[in-house]
Amino acid sequence: MDKNYAVRVFDDEGKDVTPHPLFHSDPDTAVPRRTCGNSSISKPNASTMEFMLDEIVEPGSQGDTAVSLSDVQVRREEIEEQLTEEDLDRRVDIYLTETETIWMLDMPSVVASVESEDAGRILERNKIYVDICKNRPGNDRFVEKMMQTINGAAKNKEVQCDKIVMEDKGMVVTSWDLYDSFNVSETEPTSKGEATNGKSSTSHMTKKHDQTASVTSARGNITSVTTLESAALARIHEGEKNRLEAILTSENFQQDLFFMERVLMENIFQPKLAAYRQFPVLIDPAVTSDNVSTVVAVKEAKQEEHDKGKKDKEAQKEALNDPSIPSDLNEALEETVPPSLEQLWSYTCDLTKGHNVSSMAWSKVNPDLLAVGYGAFDFKEQKKGLACCWSLKNPMWPERIFQCEHGVTALDFSMASPNLLAVGMYNGTITIYNVRSCTTTAILNSRDSSARHTGPVWQLKWLEQDRDTADDDKRERLISISADGRLTKWLIQKGLDCTDLMKIKRAGSMKKNLPCEKERKSVVLISRQAAGMCFDFHPKDTNFYLAGTEEGLIHKCSCSYDQQFLETYKGHKGPVYKVAWNPFSTDMFLSCSADWTIMLWHQNSQMPILTFSSTTTVVHDIMWSPKSVFTFAAANESRVEIWDLSVSILDPVITRFANPEAKFTSVLFAKNTDCLLVGDSRGEVSVFELQNLAASSSTKVDALSDVISPALTT
């Protein structure tokens, strides 16, 4: 077949249907130099150009539309005429190049390469899914649902209002009552007519009286004597009664009764008061034989308990029978007595029974004066509250009683003016009372303040400003935190005026989306502010303070910044009820929450150092001991605990259970003595003596860190 013959295609009807080329190259375009073996080609000849036109199509070259099919055929004939045998036998190199790939359909694979960046994360998710599938059969926690997630603690937003009191009234109405009420207008004229007739009847009676006057005149002399005697006796009796009332109400008599009552109370509670003040109990030799026998019986009972404990330890020692234990250590074990809490007395009376003890505070100058607030924490159980001032000299009746319209939630004594007692209530009102005055009316009230709290005031505290502050700010401040999300500073001027130190904002969602999950929708919040529950200022620098919230977060704030937090400590899963700096190791602080836990924190770490969870009840209150850096007390609903971190970080050293019908709500260490005060839900404040507590009295700054660091490393 002739090589110069062009191949053409015809259809059944004889029409030329030969396809036209999509690319028409320009023969005058320069071709780059190519090498093949030992030969080189600088410019293609005619045969080479013809071969390239027949076999190679390079898209994107110039002159695609300028060269027509007829021009190509003419040039092809010209080139074929000029070709020689040598040109035909010459070797030609052809290079094939790959064009850009265009994807019409892209379906990502569900299989990932082991060398990819997401390989480790995908393998971890597959491992978790395999473990879930293995634990699924027979597991009670598995629920057949479309999805299974962990639900956090529910948080309710309630609206506060006065308690609605409902009363039922009724009466019985007969048909006669209806008839009389309907005919009132008819009966009134008849009564007037009877009144006119009454005048004539009285005139008739006067006539009869004149007729009988002569008969009774003889008896008048006898009756007049008896009347005079009875009147004289009545005057004497009334004068005696007035004289007795004057004596009973006199100021001198009231003061004498007050002193006599104090003497009787000290005689009754003398052994307990001596134990409270850590004095030896003295027995009066002039006491009766009954009292002596009672004291002897008490001593014998205590000795029997001590002997019983000693025998139990001897039995344990014999059971162990370890010869490697030194003899002096065995003697120490025999003589040790376990620490305990012994109740001395309770501050309670008929007036406080049935009220919940919400807060307690000592007087700043009188260590024997205690203020106790009574009020319920639940909105449904609200009733009128009390604020009572108890004295150590009379544990049976309070010295001052302040009746409050709403439940008392917090109180504290002033340092600059020790006679001032600030009281916070459930409705957000703050009142200040003068305890030196016998009147029970408040001298100041925040009810008239435009910036008053709109939620319960959960904590109050008087705070003295640092020495390096300005002269205008050196006055004592009253700090309060409320459920409306505000931490407020109050100043006493003409009234109670306040400014906000911080408005606690709600924290955003801390959950992160997985790589394969869609972006979560933002949750619409009812309020942008989080409810404040507690606070505590730094012992050395009062410019910094901690604030616990209902969200379970603890914020470290500064008085110089009211728009942002310095640090946020995350660990609790429920509302934080109390935060307390350690008075000796000032970098450490404690917190308790409704999630049943107590946590120990360091201010430079956002995660807790230790977590104490000994019960499954709410922890209402905590307090550091004023004598030891290691000891603190905690009030759970079911029991009160004394922890000594130098002895154990796992279990409390002392545990005292509450009565089945009561719950512990607050704790407070006594001043200058080893006693603990515990308030409960029945309105009682029990005074306990700490006995045989071998806790270290170290107050070094680094002592707590030295004890905790080995436990953390192990």
Side-chain angles (χ1 to χ4, degrees), residues 144-187:
E144 286 288 347
K145 290 184 178 179
M146 296 300 294
M147 61 184 296
Q148 185 175 4
T149 58
I150 299 175
N151 297 327
K155 298 179 180 178
N156 299 328
K157 182 67 178 180
E158 298 179 350
V159 179
Q160 182 180 359
C161 66
D162 294 335
K163 185 177 180 180
I164 300 175
V165 181
M166 304 294 292
E167 295 182 359
D168 295 335
K169 293 184 179 180
M171 60 182 301
V172 179
V173 179
T174 62
S175 58
W176 297 105
D177 296 330
L178 296 174
Y179 180 80
D180 294 339
S181 300
F182 183 74
N183 297 324
V184 169
S185 59
E186 297 180 0
T187 56

Side-chain angles (χ1 to χ4, degrees), residues 107-116 118-119 122-123 126:
M107 296 180 64
S109 176
V110 295
V111 179
S113 175
V114 182
E115 300 177 355
S116 63
D118 299 336
I122 294 173
L123 290 174
N126 293 341

Side-chain angles (χ1 to χ4, degrees), residues 10-39:
F10 299 91
D11 58 0
D12 297 340
E13 298 178 357
K15 295 182 179 180
D16 188 2
V17 292
T18 304
H20 299 287
L22 298 176
F23 170 73
H24 306 283
S25 66
D26 189 1
D28 298 333
T29 305
V31 179
R33 183 180 181 86
R34 296 183 177 89
T35 60
C36 180
N38 296 326
S39 62

Side-chain angles (χ1 to χ4, degrees), residues 576-641:
V576 179
Y577 287 152
K578 190 68 175 293
V579 290
W581 289 99
N582 193 305
F584 307 106
S585 182
T586 56
D587 290 335
M588 303 285 186
F589 64 91
L590 278 175
S591 64
C592 65
S593 171
D595 60 359
W596 312 341
T597 62
I598 303 170
M599 292 186 180
L600 179 65
W601 305 78
H602 192 280
Q603 66 172 347
N604 296 331
S605 176
Q606 295 184 355
M607 298 302 293
I609 300 175
L610 292 175
T611 301
F612 312 96
S613 180
S614 59
T615 60
T616 57
T617 55
V618 176
V619 185
H620 286 287
D621 196 8
I622 53 173
M623 186 179 182
W624 287 102
S625 172
K627 294 185 177 182
S628 175
V629 70
F630 307 107
T631 308
F632 67 90
N636 301 319
E637 286 186 352
S638 58
R639 62 185 186 178
V640 62
E641 299 172 344

Side-chain angles (χ1 to χ4, degrees), residues 493-509:
Q493 297 174 351
K494 295 182 179 179
L496 281 178
D497 191 15
C498 68
T499 57
D500 290 338
L501 292 178
M502 177 65 69
K503 292 184 178 180
I504 306 173
K505 299 178 182 178
R506 288 187 178 271
S509 178

